[in-house]
Amino acid sequence: MNFITTLLGNLNYGTILFLMLLESTVVPVPSEFVVTPAAYHAASGQLDVWLVILFATIGADIGASINYVVALYVGRPVIYRFANSRWGKMCLLSQEKVEKSERYFDDHGIVATLTGRLIPGIRHLISIPAGLARMNYWKFLLYTTIGAGFWHSILAALGWYLHAIVPEDQLNDKISEYAEYIKLIIIALVIAAIVWFVVMKYLKKKK
């Protein structure tokens, strides 16, 4: 974890991509403490905010693809075994969390890959049930990119906004405070998106 802490203290496009790659696998890297500070620095001219979002999303795509491929080829028993192992516990994983992501995927179908990228506790695991279900990879990648890009845009907007009102030594505390409000808003948006997809699917069938 000292290695990750060092990277968090030296944010550039390469470390942003790498940390978001880790966050989209099974390594517990909170994206709000990567993208938001990076956008905060972008507001002062140290980085470009659009490149922050781009590299964060590319990293998320790579990490999610790793999860997808592993799940596709090793199968559920091995995934569960790892989640219950000592290494899995170090990554804050458990079989219960993996099963939760599977239930979410089963309940919401393909759209779960898009909306799941926005939900805490599901975000970094939703690619596993996509792989287990053998979802079309390119469709998986498209939805992952849209979901991750939207999430990173929200975090970047927060970082840009905080630059105008918060000194850097108070940044992490403010991120923690605002993150709770963002989670509630995101959950509401996800529910609205699911309802919209269900309605559209129903209307399509009716036609």
Side-chain angles (χ1 to χ4, degrees), residues 163-181:
H163 182 266
I165 63 170
V166 176
E168 190 166 0
D169 60 350
Q170 297 176 22
L171 179 59
N172 285 345
D173 290 336
K174 279 295 178 184
I175 290 173
S176 298
E177 179 185 331
Y178 278 84
E180 293 304 315
Y181 296 111

Side-chain angles (χ1 to χ4, degrees), residues 65-86:
S65 294
I66 292 171
N67 271 6
Y68 174 93
V69 170
V70 170
L72 181 67
Y73 287 106
V74 307
R76 187 174 284 102
V78 177
I79 295 289
Y80 285 176
R81 199 175 305 132
F82 174 76
N84 291 324
S85 70
R86 184 164 62 103

Side-chain angles (χ1 to χ4, degrees), residues 11-114:
L11 290 174
N12 55 51
Y13 302 125
T15 55
I16 291 167
L17 185 150
F18 182 65
L19 286 167
M20 289 299 90
L21 182 158
L22 294 181
E23 193 255 358
S24 284
T25 54
V26 294
V27 181
V29 179
S31 52
E32 56 265 34
F33 290 101
V34 178
V35 180
T36 308
Y40 184 96
H41 295 144
S44 63
Q46 298 176 46
L47 295 168
D48 183 289
V49 70
W50 297 110
L51 290 180
V52 167
I53 296 170
L54 174 64
F55 279 94
T57 303
I58 291 172
D61 282 346
I62 296 171
S65 294
I66 292 171
N67 271 6
Y68 174 93
V69 170
V70 170
L72 181 67
Y73 287 106
V74 307
R76 187 174 284 102
V78 177
I79 295 289
Y80 285 176
R81 199 175 305 132
F82 174 76
N84 291 324
S85 70
R86 184 164 62 103
W87 291 103
K89 296 293 187 292
M90 288 175 64
C91 293
L92 304 181
L93 276 182
S94 68
Q95 183 173 327
E96 183 183 358
K97 288 182 178 179
V98 177
E99 289 175 340
K100 181 181 177 183
S101 68
E102 288 189 80
R103 285 195 299 271
Y104 184 83
F105 186 88
D106 290 340
D107 290 344
H108 301 99
I110 292 175
V111 71
T113 306
L114 172 61

